[in-house]
Amino acid sequence: MLFFQLPIPFGAGVLLLAATVATANGGLSHRTRVKTQEYPTTSIRWQPCPPDINAVAALDVECGSLAVPLDYTATNSTDTLDLSLVRVPAAGKSVKHSILFNFGGPGNEARRTLAQLADMFQAVTGGEHDLIAWDPRGTAETLTFSCFANATRRAELNSQFGLGNASDVERGLLWAAGKNYADACAEYPEAKERAPLISTAFTARDAMQIVDAVEEDKLLRYWGLSYGTDIGATLAALFPDRVEKVLIDGVFNPTQYFYERTDSEGFASADDTFSEFFRQCVSTPEACSLARNHPNTTAKQLESAAYELIEELKFRPIAHRGAILGYQELKVAIRFALYTPYTWLSLDSILDAFLAEPRNETLASDTLDKFLAAEGGAVSSANDAGVGIECVDKAPRSDSFDVINAAFDQAQSASRLLGDSLFALIAGCAQWTLEPRERYTGGFKKVNPRKPLFVIGNTYDSATSIKSARNISETIKGSVLLEHGGFGHTSIQQPSLCTARAIQRFFRNGTLPEPNTLCAPVTAPFEFAVSGPTWQDLFPQLGLPPSGNGTRAVHVKRRGHVGVFKNVIGRHLNGVLW
């Protein structure tokens, strides 16, 4: 989890944090698993949603609240926290059960995202379930986690961060900046009060409170994406006897997330995804200007030229309209663009402009700057939820630069392209001091849920590697892996009827695919970016009519979900880029 502050119009700075606990000899010392008290569950009264959610909803939705224990370890306390929920009623006439959703982060809200993607998720799950999401602890208005009194102070501190390979002295600067950030959070009264209450373990317990309120059989049905897979794994570990149907999609390795200094496995497919971008470009020149304008150049040559460009801009950045565009800005753009095939055309335009001979630097800089400005519109600096949740969850800490420098090396070895974007997280989290009331410390090798988990990983996911999906499917007993042979972060970025029908069968009757099934997307990525089909185009083949409610028209047009796919599914941006 790595934070990259984007000053106007997008200079570079990075920040990060993660939690851990270090003994004097450098070993790990985990908090013991705490005893928690059973609490009675209140009911949920569903009512119309507020205007801001209704305005973006693809289908009619309902909202509600649920009082849950503020602190599950405070056995004599009656203090509660109100969770804000949204429900998408089942599309069919009969309602089987409810499916809970989390869309990642950590630090992402969830209600607005489910409302925006309501039609797609109803189609892919089969239309027979109510769909429910809640804004987790630390996010949105639910015990919002912040380390600063205002955005100005947050931006000042974030400006101390850069990508780890931006200069020869950057590692030391990141180490110092991480200490500054961790100290700021430790000293801010609101952060000290709320950090112990926002762990993933508590969020998992909140999820089961929702299950108790909506399910007569008290069994869990859940779809978690990106960091939401860590919540899913924690649910399976803490409540194995209550697992009915749990899908984890775009796996963020929970072992690294909780117990290691770097989340390096997440980027293990990033370099392959970047290479495949060029191979797909050369194979579809009618859709890729880079291939058309370099007709006698191989994919490998184009990739090499792109890496040379990245290094060139490190030492010779471009002054552009009062800002500086260089190494960090280009790498941020690449990272954004690989997140979904929808933005491959933008990456194509950026690289084509920079690799043109002769290069028009004004045109190239304008192309990069406009893309960053458009993507940065989704970046929020209103709180520090992403930092706080992961840092509270993470176990290893160290005050030794040499120890953390080795973790920098591990991150860099995972990805030539994106490895150094993890350095800020590693540096800041190692020095975090705010601890949770409960952290799950049991590991995942002995987790044996009542029903097998359904695991989905993308072949070319630059944010959560297929390697993590394979690892967790082999770790949690009985889990079954489906490989979604597409591009982007999580299976929803590029439609596949094969994947969608497997998900439908799972939630309808519990049927799992054959282990290691490979599902192809409907079209190649550049073709998809140009002409689809979108999920909405495929609704009839998934058994649901095309959505066409006049009040929701903006959300059902082609590319209507693009902004959500790019900006909300996955790791929290939080004023910076992961």
Side-chain angles (χ1 to χ4, degrees):
M1 144 179 153
L2 171 268
F3 288 71
F4 198 101
Q5 179 69 26
L6 299 174
I8 300 173
F10 290 96
V14 198
L15 200 167
L16 137 317
L17 305 93
T20 294
V21 109
T23 60
N25 62 7
L28 296 186
S29 162
H30 298 298
R31 245 173 218 245
T32 57
R33 188 145 159 204
V34 298
K35 291 183 178 180
T36 59
Q37 179 180 349
E38 294 296 325
Y39 290 84
T41 302
T42 59
S43 60
I44 303 170
R45 185 170 68 88
W46 299 104
Q47 55 193 358
C49 288
D52 64 313
I53 291 180
N54 277 328
V56 300
L59 297 174
D60 292 329
V61 295
E62 303 166 324
C63 288
S65 64
L66 177 67
V68 301
L70 177 65
D71 182 351
Y72 287 95
T73 68
T75 55
N76 296 319
S77 174
T78 59
D79 292 341
T80 60
L81 171 68
D82 285 336
L83 299 180
S84 297
L85 302 93
V86 67
R87 177 171 71 174
V88 183
K93 294 181 180 179
S94 61
V95 181
K96 286 188 173 181
H97 293 282
S98 297
I99 303 171
L100 273 58
F101 284 81
N102 181 277
F103 303 104
N108 283 355
E109 56 71 44
R111 292 193 305 160
R112 186 180 179 91
T113 302
L114 180 59
Q116 289 175 293
L117 300 178
D119 53 348
M120 187 274 290
F121 280 116
Q122 275 293 357
V124 175
T125 57
E128 299 174 351
H129 296 77
D130 290 341
L131 312 181
I132 295 176
W134 75 105
D135 292 336
R137 292 166 180 254
T139 75
E141 302 301 319
T142 308
L143 207 66
T144 312
F145 183 79
S146 177
C147 297
F148 303 95
N150 55 64
T152 300
R153 176 58 183 144
R154 180 179 295 107
E156 289 172 353
L157 207 151
N158 279 349
S159 68
Q160 297 179 11
F161 293 85
L163 290 180
N165 290 330
S167 75
D168 291 341
V169 300
E170 195 65 35
R171 290 189 178 203
L173 293 175
L174 285 170
W175 177 246
K179 180 71 162 70
N180 287 342
Y181 198 97
D183 287 350
C185 292
E187 294 165 4
Y188 191 60
E190 180 182 285
K192 287 195 291 185
E193 176 184 352
R194 296 183 175 185
L197 305 171
I198 62 173
S199 69
T200 296
F202 273 18
T203 293
R205 296 188 185 281
D206 290 343
M208 297 314 297
Q209 291 280 312
I210 299 170
V211 170
D212 288 339
V214 300
E215 292 290 353
E216 291 185 4
D217 65 6
K218 308 302 181 184
L219 296 177
L220 173 68
R221 296 155 184 91
Y222 173 82
W223 185 348
L225 301 98
S226 195
Y227 158 75
T229 64
D230 293 317
I231 297 175
T234 304
L235 283 162
L238 291 177
F239 305 98
D241 294 337
R242 299 184 65 182
V243 169
E244 176 65 13
K245 296 169 185 173
V246 170
L247 167 59
I248 54 176
D249 180 354
V251 175
F252 189 54
N253 186 322
T255 299
Q256 284 199 330
Y257 175 79
F258 287 110
Y259 310 130
E260 297 184 14
R261 290 189 171 90
T262 174
D263 303 321
S264 58
E265 192 175 272
F267 287 153
S269 297
D271 294 356
D272 288 344
T273 303
F274 196 44
S275 298
E276 191 64 19
F277 168 86
F278 294 102
R279 288 192 287 268
Q280 292 290 332
C281 172
V282 169
S283 69
T284 52
E286 67 279 4
C288 184
S289 57
L290 190 61
R292 288 196 307 274
N293 293 331
H294 298 80
N296 299 316
T297 308
T298 67
K300 186 63 178 176
Q301 289 170 331
L302 289 173
E303 181 182 1
S304 296
Y307 276 113
E308 290 171 4
L309 172 65
I310 292 170
E311 286 301 305
E312 174 195 336
L313 291 180
K314 179 190 294 186
F315 298 101
R316 207 192 120 225
I318 299 170
H320 180 70
R321 305 185 191 282
I324 297 175
L325 298 177
Y327 171 86
Q328 299 186 128
E329 289 72 25
L330 180 58
K331 288 189 73 170
V332 167
I334 293 170
R335 185 177 178 181
F336 258 133
L338 292 180
Y339 218 67
T340 173
Y342 279 119
T343 45
W344 279 29
L345 297 179
S346 298
L347 181 56
D348 171 38
S349 296
I350 292 168
L351 294 177
D352 185 49
F354 272 97
L355 296 178
E357 296 181 359
R359 178 192 301 167
N360 182 327
E361 288 203 344
T362 300
L363 174 62
S365 299
D366 279 342
T367 305
L368 174 59
D369 186 51
K370 288 176 181 177
F371 177 74
L372 289 172
E375 296 304 302
V379 175
S380 168
S381 57
N383 62 57
D384 302 279
V387 180
I389 294 170
E390 181 158 0
C391 291
V392 159
D393 278 337
K394 217 175 232 329
R397 309 212 193 281
S398 177
D399 59 2
S400 167
F401 174 79
D402 291 338
V403 169
I404 299 309
N405 198 36
F408 292 163
D409 290 339
Q410 180 184 345
Q412 186 58 55
S413 68
S415 172
R416 174 187 181 187
L417 180 67
L418 298 181
D420 69 336
S421 65
L422 285 171
F423 289 14
L425 167 67
I426 296 166
C429 297
Q431 301 171 89
W432 190 261
T433 60
L434 300 175
E435 299 294 344
R437 294 277 196 272
E438 181 185 18
R439 174 190 291 127
Y440 175 67
T441 61
F444 298 94
K445 291 183 178 179
K446 295 182 180 180
V447 175
N448 187 14
R450 173 180 172 272
K451 294 284 185 71
L453 271 58
F454 184 9
V455 182
I456 298 178
N458 273 20
T459 305
Y460 295 104
D461 184 334
S462 60
T464 53
S465 170
I466 182 67
K467 182 178 180 180
S468 295
R470 292 193 181 107
N471 283 345
I472 200 65
S473 68
E474 295 168 0
T475 300
I476 296 182
K477 290 180 175 60
S479 301
V480 173
L481 171 66
L482 179 147
E483 182 173 348
H484 177 78
F487 299 81
H489 182 39
T490 78
S491 68
I492 69 170
Q493 300 289 353
Q494 189 180 11
S496 164
L497 287 170
C498 169
T499 301
R501 286 167 177 157
I503 295 171
Q504 284 187 339
R505 288 191 292 269
F506 178 65
F507 282 115
R508 279 176 170 164
N509 53 37
T511 300
L512 287 160
E514 289 296 315
N516 299 308
T517 293
L518 176 62
C519 283
V522 177
T523 54
F526 275 99
E527 180 183 349
F528 169 68
V530 171
S531 58
T534 65
W535 280 111
Q536 292 88 344
D537 296 330
L538 300 177
F539 284 176
Q541 296 181 66
L542 295 174
L544 269 72
S547 52
N549 184 331
T551 63
R552 316 294 185 200
V554 67
H555 301 291
V556 300
K557 293 178 181 177
R558 164 160 165 65
R559 304 173 73 85
H561 289 159
V562 178
V564 190
F565 290 153
K566 288 189 295 186
N567 300 322
V568 233
I569 304 297
R571 316 283 337 252
H572 185 50
L573 299 183
N574 206 63
V576 286
L577 300 182
W578 293 104

